[in-house]
PDB file of all heavy atoms in Angstrom:
ATOM      1  N   VAL A 293      24.524  -3.652 -18.768  1.00 98.00           N
ATOM      2  CA  VAL A 293      24.557  -4.848 -19.587  1.00 98.00           C
ATOM      3  C   VAL A 293      25.994  -5.417 -19.585  1.00 98.00           C
ATOM      4  O   VAL A 293      26.978  -4.692 -19.594  1.00 98.00           O
ATOM      5  CB  VAL A 293      24.125  -4.502 -21.058  1.00 98.00           C
ATOM      6  CG1 VAL A 293      24.438  -5.638 -22.006  1.00 98.00           C
ATOM      7  CG2 VAL A 293      22.610  -4.239 -21.068  1.00 98.00           C
ATOM      8  N   ASP A 294      26.081  -6.733 -19.518  1.00 98.00           N
ATOM      9  CA  ASP A 294      27.323  -7.457 -19.564  1.00 98.00           C
ATOM     10  C   ASP A 294      27.407  -8.174 -20.930  1.00 98.00           C
ATOM     11  O   ASP A 294      26.851  -9.288 -21.092  1.00 98.00           O
ATOM     12  CB  ASP A 294      27.380  -8.464 -18.415  1.00 98.00           C
ATOM     13  CG  ASP A 294      28.614  -9.347 -18.433  1.00 98.00           C
ATOM     14  OD1 ASP A 294      29.302  -9.435 -19.490  1.00 98.00           O
ATOM     15  OD2 ASP A 294      28.898 -10.008 -17.416  1.00 98.00           O
ATOM     16  N   PRO A 295      28.031  -7.560 -21.927  1.00 98.00           N
ATOM     17  CA  PRO A 295      28.062  -8.200 -23.252  1.00 98.00           C
ATOM     18  C   PRO A 295      29.044  -9.347 -23.322  1.00 98.00           C
ATOM     19  O   PRO A 295      28.981 -10.148 -24.253  1.00 98.00           O
ATOM     20  CB  PRO A 295      28.524  -7.038 -24.183  1.00 98.00           C
ATOM     21  CG  PRO A 295      29.350  -6.148 -23.278  1.00 98.00           C
ATOM     22  CD  PRO A 295      28.776  -6.289 -21.874  1.00 98.00           C
ATOM     23  N   SER A 296      29.933  -9.468 -22.328  1.00 98.00           N
ATOM     24  CA  SER A 296      30.954 -10.503 -22.356  1.00 98.00           C
ATOM     25  C   SER A 296      30.322 -11.865 -22.076  1.00 98.00           C
ATOM     26  O   SER A 296      30.434 -12.821 -22.837  1.00 98.00           O
ATOM     27  CB  SER A 296      32.047 -10.196 -21.323  1.00 98.00           C
ATOM     28  OG  SER A 296      32.499  -8.879 -21.459  1.00 98.00           O
ATOM     29  N   HIS A 297      29.628 -11.956 -20.906  1.00 98.00           N
ATOM     30  CA  HIS A 297      28.980 -13.248 -20.587  1.00 98.00           C
ATOM     31  C   HIS A 297      27.752 -13.471 -21.469  1.00 98.00           C
ATOM     32  O   HIS A 297      27.393 -14.626 -21.688  1.00 98.00           O
ATOM     33  CB  HIS A 297      28.554 -13.279 -19.092  1.00 98.00           C
ATOM     34  CG  HIS A 297      29.760 -13.309 -18.187  1.00 98.00           C
ATOM     35  ND1 HIS A 297      30.368 -12.180 -17.746  1.00 98.00           N
ATOM     36  CD2 HIS A 297      30.478 -14.372 -17.696  1.00 98.00           C
ATOM     37  CE1 HIS A 297      31.431 -12.529 -17.040  1.00 98.00           C
ATOM     38  NE2 HIS A 297      31.526 -13.840 -16.981  1.00 98.00           N
ATOM     39  N   ALA A 298      27.194 -12.404 -22.008  1.00 97.00           N
ATOM     40  CA  ALA A 298      26.004 -12.583 -22.854  1.00 97.00           C
ATOM     41  C   ALA A 298      26.331 -13.307 -24.172  1.00 97.00           C
ATOM     42  O   ALA A 298      25.543 -14.076 -24.672  1.00 97.00           O
ATOM     43  CB  ALA A 298      25.417 -11.232 -23.196  1.00 97.00           C
ATOM     44  N   THR A 299      27.577 -13.096 -24.667  1.00 97.00           N
ATOM     45  CA  THR A 299      27.890 -13.711 -25.972  1.00 97.00           C
ATOM     46  C   THR A 299      28.969 -14.817 -25.844  1.00 97.00           C
ATOM     47  O   THR A 299      29.005 -15.707 -26.675  1.00 97.00           O
ATOM     48  CB  THR A 299      28.484 -12.639 -26.906  1.00 97.00           C
ATOM     49  OG1 THR A 299      29.649 -12.082 -26.291  1.00 97.00           O
ATOM     50  CG2 THR A 299      27.506 -11.554 -27.192  1.00 97.00           C
ATOM     51  N   GLY A 300      29.875 -14.668 -24.892  1.00 98.00           N
ATOM     52  CA  GLY A 300      30.955 -15.641 -24.768  1.00 98.00           C
ATOM     53  C   GLY A 300      32.050 -15.441 -25.783  1.00 98.00           C
ATOM     54  O   GLY A 300      32.980 -16.251 -25.872  1.00 98.00           O
ATOM     55  N   SER A 301      31.948 -14.391 -26.591  1.00 98.00           N
ATOM     56  CA  SER A 301      32.990 -14.165 -27.619  1.00 98.00           C
ATOM     57  C   SER A 301      33.343 -12.670 -27.752  1.00 98.00           C
ATOM     58  O   SER A 301      32.415 -11.850 -27.947  1.00 98.00           O
ATOM     59  CB  SER A 301      32.434 -14.669 -28.950  1.00 98.00           C
ATOM     60  OG  SER A 301      33.331 -14.262 -30.006  1.00 98.00           O
ATOM     61  N   TRP A 302      34.626 -12.410 -27.686  1.00 98.00           N
ATOM     62  CA  TRP A 302      35.066 -10.961 -27.671  1.00 98.00           C
ATOM     63  C   TRP A 302      34.614 -10.264 -28.967  1.00 98.00           C
ATOM     64  O   TRP A 302      34.426  -9.091 -28.959  1.00 98.00           O
ATOM     65  CB  TRP A 302      36.584 -10.914 -27.508  1.00 98.00           C
ATOM     66  CG  TRP A 302      37.338 -11.471 -28.709  1.00 98.00           C
ATOM     67  CD1 TRP A 302      37.764 -12.730 -28.867  1.00 98.00           C
ATOM     68  CD2 TRP A 302      37.740 -10.736 -29.899  1.00 98.00           C
ATOM     69  NE1 TRP A 302      38.390 -12.871 -30.084  1.00 98.00           N
ATOM     70  CE2 TRP A 302      38.406 -11.662 -30.718  1.00 98.00           C
ATOM     71  CE3 TRP A 302      37.607  -9.420 -30.315  1.00 98.00           C
ATOM     72  CZ2 TRP A 302      38.921 -11.292 -31.980  1.00 98.00           C
ATOM     73  CZ3 TRP A 302      38.151  -9.060 -31.527  1.00 98.00           C
ATOM     74  CH2 TRP A 302      38.770  -9.972 -32.361  1.00 98.00           C
ATOM     75  N   LYS A 303      34.429 -11.050 -30.066  1.00 98.00           N
ATOM     76  CA  LYS A 303      34.117 -10.461 -31.383  1.00 98.00           C
ATOM     77  C   LYS A 303      32.777  -9.693 -31.366  1.00 98.00           C
ATOM     78  O   LYS A 303      32.581  -8.815 -32.139  1.00 98.00           O
ATOM     79  CB  LYS A 303      34.017 -11.575 -32.427  1.00 98.00           C
ATOM     80  CG  LYS A 303      35.349 -12.063 -32.901  1.00 98.00           C
ATOM     81  CD  LYS A 303      35.156 -13.112 -33.968  1.00 98.00           C
ATOM     82  CE  LYS A 303      34.668 -14.384 -33.311  1.00 98.00           C
ATOM     83  NZ  LYS A 303      34.449 -15.500 -34.260  1.00 98.00           N
ATOM     84  N   TYR A 304      31.890 -10.145 -30.508  1.00 98.00           N
ATOM     85  CA  TYR A 304      30.538  -9.512 -30.497  1.00 98.00           C
ATOM     86  C   TYR A 304      30.371  -8.459 -29.409  1.00 98.00           C
ATOM     87  O   TYR A 304      29.321  -7.851 -29.294  1.00 98.00           O
ATOM     88  CB  TYR A 304      29.487 -10.621 -30.294  1.00 98.00           C
ATOM     89  CG  TYR A 304      29.626 -11.785 -31.222  1.00 98.00           C
ATOM     90  CD1 TYR A 304      29.656 -13.084 -30.741  1.00 98.00           C
ATOM     91  CD2 TYR A 304      29.755 -11.592 -32.600  1.00 98.00           C
ATOM     92  CE1 TYR A 304      29.752 -14.171 -31.595  1.00 98.00           C
ATOM     93  CE2 TYR A 304      29.885 -12.670 -33.457  1.00 98.00           C
ATOM     94  CZ  TYR A 304      29.903 -13.944 -32.940  1.00 98.00           C
ATOM     95  OH  TYR A 304      30.048 -15.017 -33.815  1.00 98.00           O
ATOM     96  N   VAL A 305      31.413  -8.344 -28.556  1.00 98.00           N
ATOM     97  CA  VAL A 305      31.247  -7.439 -27.411  1.00 98.00           C
ATOM     98  C   VAL A 305      31.036  -5.961 -27.846  1.00 98.00           C
ATOM     99  O   VAL A 305      30.210  -5.267 -27.234  1.00 98.00           O
ATOM    100  CB  VAL A 305      32.510  -7.580 -26.459  1.00 98.00           C
ATOM    101  CG1 VAL A 305      32.579  -6.455 -25.427  1.00 98.00           C
ATOM    102  CG2 VAL A 305      32.480  -8.937 -25.795  1.00 98.00           C
ATOM    103  N   SER A 306      31.774  -5.540 -28.860  1.00 98.00           N
ATOM    104  CA  SER A 306      31.648  -4.179 -29.282  1.00 98.00           C
ATOM    105  C   SER A 306      30.260  -3.823 -29.783  1.00 98.00           C
ATOM    106  O   SER A 306      29.614  -2.865 -29.360  1.00 98.00           O
ATOM    107  CB  SER A 306      32.719  -3.960 -30.357  1.00 98.00           C
ATOM    108  OG  SER A 306      32.527  -2.724 -30.938  1.00 98.00           O
ATOM    109  N   ALA A 307      29.713  -4.699 -30.684  1.00 98.00           N
ATOM    110  CA  ALA A 307      28.387  -4.436 -31.254  1.00 98.00           C
ATOM    111  C   ALA A 307      27.323  -4.414 -30.159  1.00 98.00           C
ATOM    112  O   ALA A 307      26.454  -3.539 -30.168  1.00 98.00           O
ATOM    113  CB  ALA A 307      28.060  -5.547 -32.288  1.00 98.00           C
ATOM    114  N   LEU A 308      27.408  -5.354 -29.249  1.00 98.00           N
ATOM    115  CA  LEU A 308      26.356  -5.427 -28.216  1.00 98.00           C
ATOM    116  C   LEU A 308      26.498  -4.280 -27.220  1.00 98.00           C
ATOM    117  O   LEU A 308      25.484  -3.802 -26.689  1.00 98.00           O
ATOM    118  CB  LEU A 308      26.388  -6.773 -27.468  1.00 98.00           C
ATOM    119  CG  LEU A 308      25.965  -7.953 -28.332  1.00 98.00           C
ATOM    120  CD1 LEU A 308      25.710  -9.175 -27.423  1.00 98.00           C
ATOM    121  CD2 LEU A 308      24.697  -7.656 -29.078  1.00 98.00           C
ATOM    122  N   SER A 309      27.711  -3.847 -26.959  1.00 98.00           N
ATOM    123  CA  SER A 309      27.879  -2.673 -26.089  1.00 98.00           C
ATOM    124  C   SER A 309      27.227  -1.471 -26.661  1.00 98.00           C
ATOM    125  O   SER A 309      26.521  -0.738 -25.961  1.00 98.00           O
ATOM    126  CB  SER A 309      29.383  -2.372 -25.880  1.00 98.00           C
ATOM    127  OG  SER A 309      30.061  -3.492 -25.313  1.00 98.00           O
ATOM    128  N   LYS A 310      27.434  -1.255 -27.921  1.00 98.00           N
ATOM    129  CA  LYS A 310      26.826  -0.085 -28.605  1.00 98.00           C
ATOM    130  C   LYS A 310      25.279  -0.246 -28.595  1.00 98.00           C
ATOM    131  O   LYS A 310      24.570   0.726 -28.321  1.00 98.00           O
ATOM    132  CB  LYS A 310      27.313  -0.005 -30.050  1.00 98.00           C
ATOM    133  CG  LYS A 310      28.763   0.382 -30.112  1.00 98.00           C
ATOM    134  CD  LYS A 310      29.271   0.320 -31.549  1.00 98.00           C
ATOM    135  CE  LYS A 310      30.765   0.192 -31.604  1.00 98.00           C
ATOM    136  NZ  LYS A 310      31.290  -0.202 -32.858  1.00 98.00           N
ATOM    137  N   GLY A 311      24.819  -1.472 -28.871  1.00 98.00           N
ATOM    138  CA  GLY A 311      23.375  -1.716 -28.872  1.00 98.00           C
ATOM    139  C   GLY A 311      22.781  -1.450 -27.485  1.00 98.00           C
ATOM    140  O   GLY A 311      21.681  -0.878 -27.378  1.00 98.00           O
ATOM    141  N   ALA A 312      23.476  -1.857 -26.449  1.00 98.00           N
ATOM    142  CA  ALA A 312      22.981  -1.658 -25.099  1.00 98.00           C
ATOM    143  C   ALA A 312      22.836  -0.197 -24.737  1.00 98.00           C
ATOM    144  O   ALA A 312      21.798   0.254 -24.193  1.00 98.00           O
ATOM    145  CB  ALA A 312      23.883  -2.345 -24.106  1.00 98.00           C
ATOM    146  N   ILE A 313      23.845   0.597 -25.082  1.00 98.00           N
ATOM    147  CA  ILE A 313      23.750   2.021 -24.771  1.00 98.00           C
ATOM    148  C   ILE A 313      22.605   2.689 -25.597  1.00 98.00           C
ATOM    149  O   ILE A 313      21.869   3.471 -25.060  1.00 98.00           O
ATOM    150  CB  ILE A 313      25.127   2.740 -25.066  1.00 98.00           C
ATOM    151  CG1 ILE A 313      26.268   2.112 -24.272  1.00 98.00           C
ATOM    152  CG2 ILE A 313      25.043   4.223 -24.825  1.00 98.00           C
ATOM    153  CD1 ILE A 313      26.051   2.084 -22.775  1.00 98.00           C
ATOM    154  N   ALA A 314      22.575   2.293 -26.879  1.00 98.00           N
ATOM    155  CA  ALA A 314      21.507   2.885 -27.711  1.00 98.00           C
ATOM    156  C   ALA A 314      20.112   2.482 -27.210  1.00 98.00           C
ATOM    157  O   ALA A 314      19.172   3.249 -27.362  1.00 98.00           O
ATOM    158  CB  ALA A 314      21.667   2.367 -29.146  1.00 98.00           C
ATOM    159  N   THR A 315      20.005   1.324 -26.551  1.00 98.00           N
ATOM    160  CA  THR A 315      18.680   0.875 -26.060  1.00 98.00           C
ATOM    161  C   THR A 315      18.322   1.467 -24.708  1.00 98.00           C
ATOM    162  O   THR A 315      17.240   1.262 -24.248  1.00 98.00           O
ATOM    163  CB  THR A 315      18.725  -0.691 -26.002  1.00 98.00           C
ATOM    164  OG1 THR A 315      19.234  -1.162 -27.250  1.00 98.00           O
ATOM    165  CG2 THR A 315      17.356  -1.290 -25.834  1.00 98.00           C
ATOM    166  N   GLY A 316      19.277   2.156 -24.095  1.00 98.00           N
ATOM    167  CA  GLY A 316      18.973   2.871 -22.864  1.00 98.00           C
ATOM    168  C   GLY A 316      19.613   2.331 -21.589  1.00 98.00           C
ATOM    169  O   GLY A 316      19.260   2.728 -20.477  1.00 98.00           O
ATOM    170  N   ALA A 317      20.599   1.435 -21.763  1.00 98.00           N
ATOM    171  CA  ALA A 317      21.302   0.905 -20.582  1.00 98.00           C
ATOM    172  C   ALA A 317      22.067   2.037 -19.905  1.00 98.00           C
ATOM    173  O   ALA A 317      22.517   2.975 -20.525  1.00 98.00           O
ATOM    174  CB  ALA A 317      22.240  -0.213 -20.966  1.00 98.00           C
ATOM    175  N   ASP A 318      22.197   1.900 -18.582  1.00 98.00           N
ATOM    176  CA  ASP A 318      22.930   2.943 -17.779  1.00 98.00           C
ATOM    177  C   ASP A 318      24.406   2.643 -17.694  1.00 98.00           C
ATOM    178  O   ASP A 318      25.160   3.463 -17.105  1.00 98.00           O
ATOM    179  CB  ASP A 318      22.356   2.989 -16.372  1.00 98.00           C
ATOM    180  CG  ASP A 318      20.890   3.411 -16.402  1.00 98.00           C
ATOM    181  OD1 ASP A 318      20.568   4.474 -16.913  1.00 98.00           O
ATOM    182  OD2 ASP A 318      20.023   2.574 -15.972  1.00 98.00           O
ATOM    183  N   GLY A 319      24.842   1.493 -18.191  1.00 98.00           N
ATOM    184  CA  GLY A 319      26.277   1.209 -18.115  1.00 98.00           C
ATOM    185  C   GLY A 319      26.582  -0.182 -18.714  1.00 98.00           C
ATOM    186  O   GLY A 319      25.678  -0.871 -19.201  1.00 98.00           O
ATOM    187  N   LEU A 320      27.830  -0.532 -18.619  1.00 98.00           N
ATOM    188  CA  LEU A 320      28.307  -1.799 -19.109  1.00 98.00           C
ATOM    189  C   LEU A 320      29.276  -2.414 -18.135  1.00 98.00           C
ATOM    190  O   LEU A 320      29.913  -1.708 -17.382  1.00 98.00           O
ATOM    191  CB  LEU A 320      29.060  -1.564 -20.453  1.00 98.00           C
ATOM    192  CG  LEU A 320      28.276  -0.960 -21.607  1.00 98.00           C
ATOM    193  CD1 LEU A 320      29.214  -0.399 -22.679  1.00 98.00           C
ATOM    194  CD2 LEU A 320      27.348  -2.014 -22.223  1.00 98.00           C
ATOM    195  N   ILE A 321      29.369  -3.762 -18.189  1.00 98.00           N
ATOM    196  CA  ILE A 321      30.431  -4.421 -17.433  1.00 98.00           C
ATOM    197  C   ILE A 321      31.111  -5.371 -18.410  1.00 98.00           C
ATOM    198  O   ILE A 321      30.460  -6.254 -19.001  1.00 98.00           O
ATOM    199  CB  ILE A 321      29.915  -5.107 -16.118  1.00 98.00           C
ATOM    200  CG1 ILE A 321      31.089  -5.843 -15.415  1.00 98.00           C
ATOM    201  CG2 ILE A 321      28.706  -5.979 -16.321  1.00 98.00           C
ATOM    202  CD1 ILE A 321      30.796  -6.194 -13.988  1.00 98.00           C
ATOM    203  N   ILE A 322      32.407  -5.096 -18.657  1.00 98.00           N
ATOM    204  CA  ILE A 322      33.105  -5.761 -19.767  1.00 98.00           C
ATOM    205  C   ILE A 322      34.385  -6.480 -19.282  1.00 98.00           C
ATOM    206  O   ILE A 322      35.134  -5.858 -18.496  1.00 98.00           O
ATOM    207  CB  ILE A 322      33.477  -4.679 -20.847  1.00 98.00           C
ATOM    208  CG1 ILE A 322      32.180  -4.036 -21.413  1.00 98.00           C
ATOM    209  CG2 ILE A 322      34.332  -5.284 -21.975  1.00 98.00           C
ATOM    210  CD1 ILE A 322      32.425  -2.893 -22.386  1.00 98.00           C
ATOM    211  N   GLU A 323      34.582  -7.665 -19.757  1.00 98.00           N
ATOM    212  CA  GLU A 323      35.808  -8.373 -19.375  1.00 98.00           C
ATOM    213  C   GLU A 323      36.978  -7.967 -20.268  1.00 98.00           C
ATOM    214  O   GLU A 323      36.895  -8.019 -21.473  1.00 98.00           O
ATOM    215  CB  GLU A 323      35.569  -9.891 -19.379  1.00 98.00           C
ATOM    216  CG  GLU A 323      34.714 -10.311 -18.213  1.00 98.00           C
ATOM    217  CD  GLU A 323      34.504 -11.796 -18.003  1.00 98.00           C
ATOM    218  OE1 GLU A 323      34.729 -12.548 -18.949  1.00 98.00           O
ATOM    219  OE2 GLU A 323      34.128 -12.166 -16.853  1.00 98.00           O
ATOM    220  N   VAL A 324      38.096  -7.630 -19.582  1.00 98.00           N
ATOM    221  CA  VAL A 324      39.294  -7.195 -20.290  1.00 98.00           C
ATOM    222  C   VAL A 324      40.488  -7.982 -19.722  1.00 98.00           C
ATOM    223  O   VAL A 324      40.589  -8.075 -18.493  1.00 98.00           O
ATOM    224  CB  VAL A 324      39.557  -5.686 -20.103  1.00 98.00           C
ATOM    225  CG1 VAL A 324      40.870  -5.211 -20.760  1.00 98.00           C
ATOM    226  CG2 VAL A 324      38.410  -4.851 -20.619  1.00 98.00           C
TER     227      VAL A 324
END
Side-chain angles (χ1 to χ4, degrees):
V293 167
D294 175 344
S296 311
H297 292 88
T299 59
S301 169
W302 68 270
K303 283 181 287 180
Y304 309 129
V305 166
S306 170
L308 291 192
S309 300
K310 291 173 201 165
I313 301 304
T315 312
D318 298 300
L320 297 163
I321 177 163
I322 298 176
E323 287 188 340
V324 177

